[in-house]
Structure formats: C-alpha cells, structure tokens
Amino acid sequence: YCLGNILSQLIENVRFFATCPKGLELLLADELEALGATQTKTTVAGVYFQGGLEIAYKACLWSRLGNRILLPLASFSSESADELYQGVQQVNWLDHMRSEGSMLVHFTGTNRAIKNTHFGALKVKDAVVDQIRSQTSQRPSISKDRPDLRINLHLARGEAHLSLDLSGESLHRRGYRAQGGAAPLKENLAAAILIRSGWPELAAKQWPLIDPMCGSGTLPIEAALMAANIAPGLLRKSFGFERWVKHDNTLWQG
C-alpha cells in the first residue's frame, strides 16, 4: 500500500514505528503510551504506534528508550532491483521535499538480488532523483550532514518497507556528550537500566543514586534528566523532521 498521496488527510491519525535496541520493546511501548500514543504493538527491535504528528514530535523529544521514529510511506514486493526502484517511485517525493533539497538514504536488509546495502541505497536514491528530475528538471543532492529528508528502507523476506526518518540522528545521541570513552554506554540503554531498577519512583522519593561505574557518567546524567523531568532531546541540535516539507513548526513550537 502507499500512503504518499493521502498523507495530508491521515496526518492526524498515522501509524508510526519507533525503533529500539532488542529487549526494550515493552518498555518503549509503555513510554509511548505515556506520551499519548495509542494502539501500540511490539515487534522485534521496535514498536508500532498510532497518533497524530504531535505524538511523533513528542516521541522524538521525550523518548529515552527509542532510536528512531519512522513515518511509513509504502510497503511493496521487492524481489529485484527493478521492483525496488519502481516501488520507491510509488511515492510522490515532491510532497516531502523540495526539488533542490538534499536527502540521505539509510538502507537495511538484503535479498538474492540486492546483496549489498550500499547498492540498495543507490537504487532508492536513483528512484527519488529520477522522479523529481523528470517533474522539475532539477535534482536533489545527497548530504550526510543535516539533509532535508532522511529516507529509511528496510528489506526483509521480499518486502520493502519505505519510511521517512523523523528523528534524524539516532535519538540515543542526546547532544550532551562531547566525547565518548572507548566503549561508552549508550544513553538509551542507560535509561533502560535506570527504569528497570525503579529509579523514576526512587527519584520521586528523593532517594540518592550511587553510580558504581568509572566511565563517562552516562548513568548519573540520564538519572538526573529523569529526576528533573527534562526531555532528553532538548540539547540536540536538530531533528530529521525540521526540514521536511510537511513539518508543522507551529505545532512543534507549541
């Protein structure tokens, strides 16, 4: 199915997908429900949820456990490179980006015809660029640094799942870490450890936190953000949705 042409009508009640490390799915579902999401459904390394654009924005800003917030655009059979190309062209990309804009493709998965993720990403890029160039005589560029649009495609069991990445960089990158150690604990994993240990309830009772680690301070920083009810995304420089054509800045600022 393809949502590209009717997204404007459905933007108030869309099925999103939040990715997370394996094992955190149930915790993430609880977190999303607390933010106002409905009809959550867990799967391996992620949670489907229902809601309006406001819920997606909240998840990007407030999720302590998620990695990415994806807006599904289309799912289609993709047994060959040509099917992949044609499937990506189902979406009207000018609904999501300007003809002179920039993009970045994140591709995961393989099949018998597409054995390399770099090749898969190139086919997705070609489909988008060719469509926009045929309609406008202009072509978008590729940017690894703050692209206007982040496209995510996951290939599994002959099915391609095409989405927009609303989060941008992985949400575990809060923005407060200038440098990391040799093997820093990821922020969302630290948050999960704290939630599992009951820290939010203990913090509400003003209990102290003892950090037995000798690392970069991820656990106490995440604990402090929880105790003070500070959104983990406040220090991030940007989110993926901010340059998306359908971005509602009034809703975001509100």
Side-chain angles (χ1 to χ4, degrees):
Y1 62 95
C2 178
L3 299 180
N5 294 329
I6 56 176
L7 185 58
S8 59
Q9 286 79 25
L10 296 178
I11 201 66
E12 294 302 322
N13 192 25
V14 178
R15 195 184 193 200
F16 297 95
F17 183 68
T19 70
C20 67
K22 291 181 180 179
L24 302 190
E25 297 91 348
L26 293 175
L27 287 178
L28 178 58
D30 290 341
E31 179 184 66
L32 291 169
E33 289 173 3
L35 292 173
T38 60
Q39 299 184 40
T40 58
K41 180 181 179 182
T42 61
T43 186
V44 177
V47 179
Y48 291 99
F49 66 96
Q50 203 87 4
L53 194 56
E54 180 181 3
I55 299 301
Y57 287 171
K58 279 186 177 181
C60 287
L61 180 64
W62 279 96
S63 179
R64 304 182 191 277
L65 303 170
N67 281 331
R68 298 186 182 279
I69 306 300
L70 303 179
L71 171 60
L73 295 180
S75 294
F76 50 87
S77 175
S78 181
E79 297 289 355
S80 67
D82 185 61
E83 280 190 327
L84 175 64
Y85 180 94
Q86 296 299 329
V88 173
Q89 289 210 331
Q90 290 182 37
V91 176
N92 183 358
W93 290 101
L94 288 175
D95 285 345
H96 301 288
M97 67 181 301
R98 296 172 182 83
S99 58
E100 73 281 6
S102 61
M103 65 177 180
L104 183 65
V105 178
H106 179 68
F107 190 100
T108 57
T110 59
N111 62 17
R112 288 178 295 179
I114 303 172
K115 299 179 180 180
N116 183 283
T117 56
H118 180 66
F119 172 72
L122 284 175
K123 293 301 291 185
V124 174
K125 182 268 295 181
D126 288 345
V128 177
V129 169
D130 290 350
Q131 183 195 95
I132 291 178
R133 183 166 50 194
S134 70
Q135 294 178 6
T136 68
S137 298
Q138 293 181 299
R139 57 167 292 161
S141 60
I142 300 298
S143 174
K144 294 183 178 180
D145 182 27
R146 293 192 66 191
D148 297 327
L149 195 71
R150 289 178 179 261
I151 301 171
N152 183 287
L153 192 139
H154 179 63
L155 186 61
R157 299 177 181 178
E159 285 285 314
H161 304 280
L162 180 63
S163 305
L164 296 186
D165 183 349
L166 300 181
S167 48
E169 277 196 319
S170 178
L171 295 176
H172 83 271
R173 295 173 180 167
R174 313 290 202 220
Y176 60 71
R177 190 193 300 279
Q179 291 181 329
L185 178 64
K186 286 188 176 181
E187 290 82 347
N188 55 350
L189 292 178
I193 291 171
L194 290 163
I195 292 171
R196 287 285 193 194
S197 70
W199 169 247
E201 295 78 16
L202 296 175
K205 298 176 182 177
Q206 297 187 336
W207 281 43
L209 175 79
I210 299 175
D211 179 14
M213 310 297 182
C214 295
S216 55
T218 307
L219 281 169
I221 292 173
E222 291 295 317
L225 291 174
M226 289 182 187
N229 195 32
I230 296 174
L234 276 181
L235 295 178
R236 286 170 58 100
K237 293 181 179 180
S238 65
F239 292 92
F241 58 75
E242 291 185 77
R243 297 188 180 188
W244 175 40
V245 166
K246 292 183 180 292
H247 171 49
D248 187 337
N249 194 55
T250 301
L251 182 65
W252 170 237
Q253 295 297 330

